[in-house]
Amino acid sequence: MKNVADFRNFLSDTVNLNQTRLGQLKTRVTTIKNFIRDSDWEPQISTFVEHGSWAHDTDLPPLVPHS
């Protein structure tokens, strides 16, 4: 049994970040990078590497319990 359409809907509706949330992620990452680079914190960070959900532009929002 193939459920390709169902899986695509799951990805687009549940897993993948929409454009608004993707924009928020990029803005927040830039803010954090700039803060760290501008600080006198030791050791100096030479590079940032995307990983996990950040690298894949995915996010699973928390489940809201049903009452």
Side-chain angles (χ1 to χ4, degrees):
M1 180 189 308
K2 293 186 179 184
N3 297 311
V4 174
D6 291 335
F7 188 67
R8 281 193 188 127
N9 288 338
F10 170 70
L11 287 177
S12 65
D13 296 341
T14 306
V15 176
N16 294 338
L17 292 173
N18 62 34
Q19 280 307 116
T20 301
R21 294 185 74 193
L22 192 55
Q24 288 174 339
L25 171 65
K26 291 180 189 229
T27 300
R28 291 170 181 170
V29 166
T30 300
T31 301
I32 292 168
K33 284 180 178 181
N34 290 339
F35 176 82
I36 291 171
R37 285 185 179 128
D38 294 343
S39 74
D40 57 356
W41 186 68
E42 293 289 336
Q44 282 295 158
I45 305 296
S46 60
T47 188
F48 295 88
V49 178
E50 295 180 5
H51 63 281
S53 294
W54 177 23
H56 297 286
D57 296 331
T58 60
D59 180 39
L60 292 174
L63 291 174
V64 177
H66 296 285
S67 314

